[in-house]
Amino acid sequence: MENLMFVYRSCKVIWTLLVTILGSASSLPVGDDSICTAEELAKYSIVFTGKWSQTAFPKQYPLYRPPAQWSSMLGVTHSSDYSMWKKNEYASNGVRDFAEKGEAWVLMKEIEEAGEKIQSVHGIFSAPAISSGTGQTSTELEVHSRHPLVSFVVRIVPSPDWFVGIDSLNLCEGDHWMEEVSVDLFPYDAGTDSGFTFSSPNFATIPQDTVTEITCSSPSHPANSFYYPRLKILPPIAQVTMVKLKKTQLGLPAPYLDLAAKSNEVIDSVSETPLDCEVSQWSSWGLCRGLCRKTGTKIRTRFVLLQPANNGMPCPNLDEETGCEPENCV
């Protein structure tokens, strides 16, 4: 009997401990941000730098109607319960509208609904558009120890549904906030429009594809505006830098790094992407010209599809001649 009582008391103690542990665990937020023990709030300046120059990206570079430029930035600070967009997953209706047309209303509504339903969003931030491929825009954002993740999107203009951005960057490292972080940005395809070039007409992707990174070899099609088969990787098309503000800096304008005027010089010295000449297929052979019963000549031609740039492969001969026997001689 004493043995049974001992077993009973032992089981009761173990059960009490399990209930306590599980109860504590269930009150913790789920995901990577659950380990953030830094001070509750932190503010950052965020500076977006466009590096989309004609030297770095010479193929089909948009010069007019409209020229190369960037949309406004739309971003959010949040917990791991929310996701604005993810590589290899389907874009939401809001991200689709933003990537295709630069319209933010649906995406804003999605963010607000996520904040109301599961308390996963701390704040929304935005920065003005950039009217050229190179230049800067900036703003401030606030993160919370329960919402330490940053996500944003910026549309590439013009494009079918291409954008750059960050998905769930954690600014908290254990018991402190990161002082500064810089991230190189590369183009993404939202998977909702099937255009290959910057100026492609609207052609919906049915069924919708997932969000994919655009590389120098994918999509593997010569018509693709980012197709550079001689490169191993694309140069960064943009960069974002976030710097933690000290308490004495709160309320001051976000720092603006005045690189816009010099950005072409800086980018040109770093990234000169060679662009090889591209020519069409040969035309059919023309008529054979010459005297009867003597060898004549016929010619075929082709034309330049894309002029070379940055010491790329020069264009080959555009016409070719060969011998032939004249026909219909009398």
Side-chain angles (χ1 to χ4, degrees):
M1 186 67 178
E2 290 180 359
N3 289 337
L4 286 174
M5 290 298 292
F6 176 78
V7 171
Y8 171 78
R9 292 193 185 96
S10 299
C11 289
K12 189 175 181 180
V13 170
I14 293 171
W15 175 253
T16 302
L17 286 171
L18 283 172
V19 169
T20 303
I21 291 169
L22 291 172
S24 300
S26 64
S27 66
L28 293 174
V30 178
D32 294 340
D33 48 349
S34 62
I35 59 173
C36 181
T37 57
E39 60 181 330
E40 191 173 53
L41 295 173
K43 275 196 173 184
Y44 284 82
S45 69
I46 176 169
V47 179
F48 176 91
T49 304
K51 295 187 174 186
W52 186 15
S53 71
Q54 190 172 9
T55 302
F57 299 91
K59 187 172 184 180
Q60 302 167 2
Y61 188 80
L63 295 172
Y64 55 91
R65 297 183 183 178
Q69 57 190 277
W70 300 96
S71 78
S72 57
M73 172 193 290
L74 180 59
V76 61
T77 57
H78 59 96
S79 70
S80 58
D81 295 323
Y82 172 78
S83 174
M84 176 181 272
W85 65 275
K86 279 191 180 298
K87 182 179 177 181
N88 299 327
E89 293 188 8
Y90 293 105
S92 68
N93 290 335
V95 171
R96 178 199 64 202
D97 285 359
F98 191 88
E100 289 188 12
K101 298 174 283 187
E103 296 177 357
W105 301 112
V106 177
L107 183 53
M108 287 282 289
K109 188 175 180 181
E110 291 173 353
I111 294 170
E112 290 171 1
E113 287 176 351
E116 291 172 359
K117 286 181 180 178
I118 53 179
Q119 303 296 305
S120 58
V121 172
H122 178 70
I124 300 173
F125 60 90
S126 63
I130 304 174
S131 60
S132 61
T134 58
Q136 291 186 325
T137 187
S138 62
T139 187
E140 290 183 2
L141 61 88
E142 183 180 80
V143 285
H144 187 277
S145 57
R146 292 194 301 275
H147 304 85
L149 308 182
V150 175
S151 296
F152 72 81
V153 286
V154 179
R155 180 177 181 245
I156 297 172
V157 184
S159 75
D161 60 341
W162 301 341
F163 70 94
V164 297
I166 279 180
D167 165 37
S168 303
L169 175 66
N170 195 342
L171 295 180
C172 182
E173 290 185 318
D175 62 352
H176 66 279
W177 296 103
M178 298 173 69
E179 290 296 324
E180 181 175 345
V181 58
S182 290
V183 180
D184 287 333
L185 303 177
F186 300 89
Y188 281 89
D189 186 322
T192 61
D193 192 292
S194 297
F196 270 126
T197 66
F198 296 119
S199 57
S200 292
N202 185 39
F203 184 61
T205 302
I206 302 174
Q208 181 177 333
D209 203 352
T210 57
V211 175
T212 56
E213 184 176 351
I214 301 172
T215 70
C216 55
S217 58
S218 178
S220 184
H221 193 293
N224 178 20
S225 292
F226 286 110
Y227 184 71
Y228 295 98
R230 287 179 58 178
L231 297 182
K232 290 184 178 179
I233 59 171
L234 286 175
I237 196 170
Q239 185 183 63
V240 66
T241 300
M242 284 169 272
V243 179
K244 185 175 179 290
L245 298 176
K246 295 179 173 60
K247 290 185 178 179
T248 54
Q249 294 176 289
L250 299 183
L252 297 177
Y256 187 88
L257 307 178
D258 188 15
L259 296 178
K262 301 180 180 179
S263 59
N264 285 329
E265 299 173 22
V266 173
I267 295 167
D268 289 355
S269 65
V270 174
S271 300
E272 288 195 1
T273 302
L275 183 65
D276 296 339
C277 178
E278 293 182 12
V279 295
S280 67
Q281 298 293 322
W282 287 110
S283 68
S284 56
W285 287 102
L287 295 174
C288 185
R289 299 184 181 277
L291 300 175
C292 289
R293 292 178 292 280
K294 292 186 178 180
T295 300
T297 58
K298 59 182 179 180
I299 296 174
R300 64 178 182 176
T301 61
R302 56 188 174 184
F303 58 90
V304 175
L305 294 172
L306 194 65
Q307 292 288 352
N310 304 328
N311 297 314
M313 194 76 69
C315 294
N317 291 332
L318 300 179
D319 54 71
E320 188 175 63
E321 184 178 293
T322 188
C324 61
E325 293 295 329
E327 299 176 359
N328 302 322
C329 286
V330 292

